[in-house]
Amino acid sequence: MTAEVVNLAARRTPQIGFERLELNRILDLYGRMVAAGHWRDYAIELGREAAVFAAFRRAAERPEVRIEKRPALRQKQGMWALVSEGGAILKRGHDLAGVLAPLERRLMKIVED
């Protein structure tokens, strides 16, 4: 009986989530994009392979961008990815700030206009 319990525990993969500092950084960018009138809604999905923050222009659309955290890729391509609406990876890296840089530049252009 105990061998079955051990096997069940070994098969269960822990849920991936955002750390407080990571989520603060993402929500800070989200708040500035909302203030600029570009984004209106967001969703967070926490799964076994990835944690995903999706930002929407309107609630009924597909997300304009997704910020994905995949710890399994930490030693390879980097665990952070910025994914476009169509599913193309815009930026991948080991550092969240570097992956968010294209969105920061877009925000600067929106505020300047």
Side-chain angles (χ1 to χ4, degrees):
M1 184 91 163
T2 58
E4 291 177 20
V5 172
V6 171
N7 286 338
L8 287 175
R11 280 189 266 166
R12 245 185 263 148
T13 308
Q15 185 176 8
I16 306 298
F18 295 107
E19 294 177 11
R20 181 180 300 269
L21 293 175
E22 297 165 348
L23 193 56
N24 283 344
R25 178 82 189 241
I26 293 168
L27 288 174
D28 176 61
L29 174 64
Y30 172 77
R32 289 183 286 139
M33 292 295 266
V34 168
H38 193 67
W39 289 345
R40 299 195 191 285
D41 199 7
Y42 73 92
I44 297 176
E45 179 185 349
L46 305 175
R48 294 174 192 248
E49 295 179 12
V52 179
F53 181 93
F56 298 83
R57 275 183 249 161
R58 293 183 229 0
E61 296 180 347
R62 288 187 290 173
E64 180 179 329
V65 294
R66 293 189 325 259
I67 301 163
E68 297 183 355
K69 177 182 179 182
R70 294 183 182 272
L73 297 177
R74 174 175 294 177
Q75 299 299 322
K76 298 175 184 175
Q77 306 163 1
M79 72 174 169
W80 293 101
L82 181 64
V83 183
S84 73
E85 185 174 359
I89 296 176
L90 302 173
K91 182 90 172 170
R92 183 181 294 281
H94 297 280
D95 182 39
L96 177 60
V99 171
L100 294 180
L103 295 175
E104 298 278 355
R105 283 192 296 273
R106 185 186 314 169
L107 179 62
M108 296 299 275
K109 289 179 185 176
I110 292 171
V111 171
E112 287 175 359
D113 291 345

